[in-house]
Amino acid sequence: MTHRFRLVVAALALLLGSGGAALAQSLPDYMAPISGKTTSTPADIATKDVLALNTGMFELYGDAARIFQKNILDKHPVILGLFSGAGGRLILYRPGKPPTEAPQVPVVYQLLKSVGHSTMALAEVVGPYVNNPDDKAWRGSMQAYRSRMQSALDGLDATPMQADWRDNNRAILKNNIAFMDECLTAGAIPFATLEAFGKKQAPLLARNVAWAAQTQVAHWMTVMADWKTQLGADWDKTYGASNTIYVARQNNVIFSVLAQFFGPDAINSRLMLIETISFTTTPSDMLESLTRIIADRSVGALFFGSYHLMDYELMGGDAREAIIAETKKRGITTFLPPLVPFGSKQWPTLITPGPGPATIADLK
């Protein structure tokens, strides 16, 4: 149907965009709304023809990428690490075998995060109304959330959580409810009340963060140790990739776990951290990204003699020189990071130490 529509449109374009006044005058009335004379200069046509090469390249690349991906998966094991609200997903692809998805992180991880997020969400709910007693728009959503909070507290003892962790989460939920009751009774949200609430919850939340991290890391370390044993000698040709958005790049949990098994020599070579536009992505999108990275390396080696050239912005080096020249012309101090060689094994996120807290523990 789509192909047929395109043919009709193309035919109409040829019919209505060509010919002189005689043709336009001979058209029936029902063609009038879409008829008209088009004009194109030789330069317009030439520019369009050249730009079409780049547009067509993407279609050709897509066709080739499907073959490249099959070839890669036929020769190399691949481990994908994907972010999820359940503590992530790890998927192992082995040549000649169906993909293996690892067991999920124990559900206590999700319970710890859910309780912690409930507290953080309260700050989002009340934020627009702090020190604004005349606006009561927050009351309905807070009352509804309070009901959910109470249900979670009432059923907490039945959750699969060890006793001391449960006590901590009970305290968090009770503090949440007390804060909401105080605001609802007062009909206002003074900043002093919100600030006191934040300080009271901080040490309890820090414990939840630590326990969730320990649960997640222990689980994935066990999975990775088992997979590395299974792969044996094939481990040295295994590729790995995990995804991240901007806020999760630093101290990325899944990538950091993968790195413990791949080792420093695999960083940015066989183990990649791929930025995505949302927290979650799909295995197919990750495989597509990984395939493109690997395929582009061969192209870089073919044309420029550097296997890792295409891991970098191709125009970046020349653009750097252009920026230096342009800032000099404008009397601006050039501000650029140091040059990094192609094929660098450097950790793919911020690594320069400096003053200031770097962990929650540092904030105490």
Side-chain angles (χ1 to χ4, degrees), residues 12 15-17 23-24 27-38:
L12 286 172
L15 176 64
L16 301 177
L23 177 60
L27 291 175
D29 291 343
Y30 61 78
M31 297 297 291
I34 60 173
S35 64
K37 184 178 180 181
T38 61

Side-chain angles (χ1 to χ4, degrees), residues 39-51:
T39 58
S40 296
T41 67
D44 291 336
I45 296 171
T47 299
K48 183 178 179 181
D49 288 343
V50 173
L51 293 179

Side-chain angles (χ1 to χ4, degrees), residues 41-103:
T41 67
D44 291 336
I45 296 171
T47 299
K48 183 178 179 181
D49 288 343
V50 173
L51 293 179
L53 297 175
N54 193 57
T55 305
M57 178 271 294
F58 288 104
E59 183 176 349
L60 294 173
Y61 190 95
D63 294 338
R66 285 186 283 274
I67 299 173
F68 293 154
Q69 184 177 120
K70 180 181 182 302
N71 291 343
I72 291 168
L73 293 176
D74 283 346
K75 298 175 183 178
H76 299 270
V78 172
I79 296 174
L80 297 183
L82 291 83
F83 178 91
S84 79
R89 298 171 62 191
L90 285 190
I91 305 172
L92 170 62
Y93 298 82
R94 300 181 68 176
K97 296 184 178 181
T100 299
E101 180 145 3

